Amino acid sequence: MGKMNRLNDTIEVINSFINLSFKLGVALGGAVFIFYCWRIGYFPQDASVGDGLLLILLAIAFGGFYLFFIVCLTSLGIVLGPVWCGLQKLFSLLLIICKKITKKNIKHHPFTIEKARIEFWFFAMLGIFFVIWFSRFDIKILLTLTLCVWGCALMWSTYQQNYRDIFILEHKETPTDDDIKRLKNLNSAQPFIVVIFLILPLLVGGVTGELLDGTMRLANLRKDAAVVHIKEPYVTYAVEYGLTGEKSNFGGEYSKFSNVAILFNGFGRNVVIEMKKPIGTVSLAIPSDHVYIIQK
């Protein structure tokens, strides 16, 4: 009887975990979906709550891509540990000079970065790729990503150091009152460090839009380059915006447009495309039964 009760309790815990995961997945996927729609300036009016599986797919795609992004930035920051230590020594030297000039005692809490293990180097190379790709040599984004790389490495190193200190304090035979107090503070600080570590790239990196675009590519809702064949009357709409198509093999009612970005497809009844003009770009929402998409 006791085994049956334990089995029922286990099943209830699993069911609760599945229900919670589903709700969190829908919430995160919905947030990604809404922010992306706001980013491209289009929200499908025929979207329904019943599209929960697609929202979970978006949550998985965004979560996986974002965690991989964090791992790469953190690995790069750890590999660059000697650089941060060198900058810290330079900063300490400047503080000493300021103390002598101002005669004021300026406090500085030194930080340490974990030593890079062999597996960090592989992800660090990908981290360099992410920094170059996202910044595209834009100095502002490059600086914020550099700050993010250092911050992620610092948060990871702090968490690891606190974990080792917690292990030592928990296995101390006769802990003092100060040890107990420090252990409590360390345990309380760990969740905050994890939260900062996870949200830092979103707050500091300046690449939230790029991450959303990457998520939509993983979910196959966005394509950066495609050939589309558009049916009337939407060919006329495109012409009115200054876009000229080519002859299409789909028939006289269709026109062919090349190098088209598919901003939104597969959710709702419209396809959102973006085409370049001599000056600027134009976005059009076209019913899916009036457009054929050919991936380049």
Coordinates of all heavy atoms in Angstrom, one line a residue, residues 46 59 87 89 115 142 150 152 170-171 195 197 199 203 224 263 281-282 286 291:
D46 N -5.8 36.8 -36.8 CA -6.5 35.5 -36.7 C -5.7 34.5 -35.8 O -6.0 33.3 -35.8 CB -6.7 34.9 -38.1 CG -5.4 34.8 -38.8 OD1 -4.4 35.5 -38.4 OD2 -5.4 34.2 -39.9
A59 N 9.2 28.8 -27.7 CA 9.9 28.9 -26.4 C 11.1 28.0 -26.4 O 12.2 28.4 -26.0 CB 9.0 28.5 -25.3
L87 N 43.5 44.5 -17.1 CA 42.7 45.7 -16.9 C 42.5 46.0 -15.5 O 42.5 47.2 -15.1 CB 41.4 45.6 -17.7 CG 41.5 45.5 -19.2 CD1 40.2 45.3 -19.9 CD2 42.2 46.8 -19.8
K89 N 44.4 45.3 -12.9 CA 45.7 45.8 -12.4 C 45.9 47.2 -12.8 O 46.4 48.0 -12.0 CB 46.8 44.9 -12.8 CG 46.9 43.5 -12.2 CD 48.0 42.7 -12.7 CE 48.0 41.3 -12.1 NZ 49.1 40.4 -12.7
K115 N 39.7 29.9 -14.3 CA 40.6 29.5 -15.3 C 39.9 28.7 -16.4 O 39.0 27.9 -16.2 CB 41.7 28.6 -14.7 CG 42.7 29.4 -13.8 CD 43.8 28.5 -13.3 CE 44.8 29.3 -12.5 NZ 45.9 28.4 -12.0
L142 N 29.4 46.6 -30.3 CA 30.6 45.9 -29.9 C 31.0 46.2 -28.5 O 31.4 45.2 -27.8 CB 31.7 46.3 -30.9 CG 33.0 45.6 -30.8 CD1 32.8 44.1 -31.1 CD2 34.0 46.2 -31.8
W150 N 32.3 40.2 -20.4 CA 33.0 40.3 -19.1 C 32.0 40.0 -18.0 O 32.3 39.2 -17.1 CB 33.6 41.7 -18.9 CG 34.1 41.9 -17.6 CD1 35.2 41.4 -17.0 CD2 33.4 42.7 -16.5 NE1 35.3 41.9 -15.7 CE2 34.2 42.6 -15.4 CE3 32.2 43.4 -16.5 CZ2 33.9 43.3 -14.2 CZ3 31.9 44.1 -15.3 CH2 32.7 44.0 -14.2
C152 N 29.2 38.2 -18.0 CA 28.8 36.8 -18.0 C 29.9 35.9 -17.3 O 29.7 35.0 -16.5 CB 28.5 36.2 -19.4 SG 26.9 36.8 -20.1
E170 N 29.5 24.0 4.6 CA 28.5 23.0 5.0 C 29.2 21.8 5.6 O 28.6 21.0 6.3 CB 27.7 22.6 3.8 CG 26.7 23.6 3.4 CD 25.9 23.2 2.1 OE1 26.3 22.3 1.4 OE2 24.8 23.8 1.9
H171 N 30.4 21.5 5.2 CA 31.1 20.3 5.7 C 32.1 20.6 6.8 O 33.0 19.8 7.2 CB 31.9 19.6 4.6 CG 31.0 19.0 3.6 ND1 30.3 19.7 2.6 CD2 30.6 17.7 3.4 CE1 29.6 18.9 1.9 NE2 29.7 17.7 2.3
V195 N 20.0 34.7 -11.9 CA 19.1 35.5 -12.6 C 19.8 36.6 -13.4 O 19.6 36.8 -14.6 CB 18.1 36.2 -11.6 CG1 17.3 37.2 -12.4 CG2 17.2 35.1 -11.0
F197 N 22.9 36.5 -14.4 CA 23.7 35.8 -15.4 C 22.8 35.5 -16.7 O 23.2 35.6 -17.8 CB 24.2 34.5 -14.8 CG 24.9 33.6 -15.8 CD1 26.1 33.9 -16.4 CD2 24.3 32.4 -16.2 CE1 26.8 33.1 -17.3 CE2 24.9 31.6 -17.2 CZ 26.1 31.9 -17.7
I199 N 19.8 37.1 -17.6 CA 19.2 38.2 -18.2 C 20.2 39.3 -18.7 O 19.8 40.2 -19.4 CB 18.1 38.9 -17.3 CG1 18.8 39.6 -16.1 CG2 17.1 37.9 -16.9 CD1 17.9 40.4 -15.3
L203 N 19.7 42.6 -21.3 CA 19.7 43.9 -20.8 C 20.9 44.8 -21.4 O 20.7 46.0 -21.6 CB 19.7 43.9 -19.3 CG 18.6 43.2 -18.6 CD1 18.8 43.3 -17.1 CD2 17.2 43.9 -19.0
D224 N 15.5 34.7 -44.7 CA 16.1 35.9 -45.1 C 16.2 36.1 -46.6 O 16.3 37.3 -47.0 CB 17.5 36.0 -44.5 CG 17.5 36.1 -43.0 OD1 16.5 36.8 -42.5 OD2 18.4 35.6 -42.3
L263 N 9.3 37.6 -43.4 CA 9.4 38.0 -42.0 C 8.5 37.1 -41.2 O 8.8 36.9 -40.0 CB 9.0 39.5 -41.9 CG 9.8 40.5 -42.6 CD1 9.3 41.9 -42.3 CD2 11.3 40.4 -42.3
T281 N 13.0 49.9 -47.7 CA 12.3 48.6 -47.8 C 10.8 48.8 -47.7 O 10.3 49.8 -47.2 CB 12.8 47.6 -46.8 OG1 12.5 48.1 -45.5 CG2 14.3 47.3 -46.9
V282 N 10.1 47.8 -48.2 CA 8.6 47.8 -48.1 C 8.2 46.4 -47.6 O 8.7 45.4 -48.0 CB 8.0 48.0 -49.5 CG1 6.5 47.8 -49.4 CG2 8.3 49.4 -50.0
I286 N 0.4 39.4 -47.2 CA -0.3 38.8 -48.3 C -0.9 37.5 -47.8 O -0.3 36.7 -47.2 CB 0.6 38.5 -49.5 CG1 1.3 39.8 -49.9 CG2 -0.1 37.9 -50.7 CD1 2.4 39.6 -50.9
V291 N 0.3 33.6 -52.6 CA 1.8 33.7 -52.7 C 2.4 32.3 -52.6 O 1.9 31.4 -51.8 CB 2.4 34.6 -51.6 CG1 2.0 34.1 -50.2 CG2 3.9 34.7 -51.8

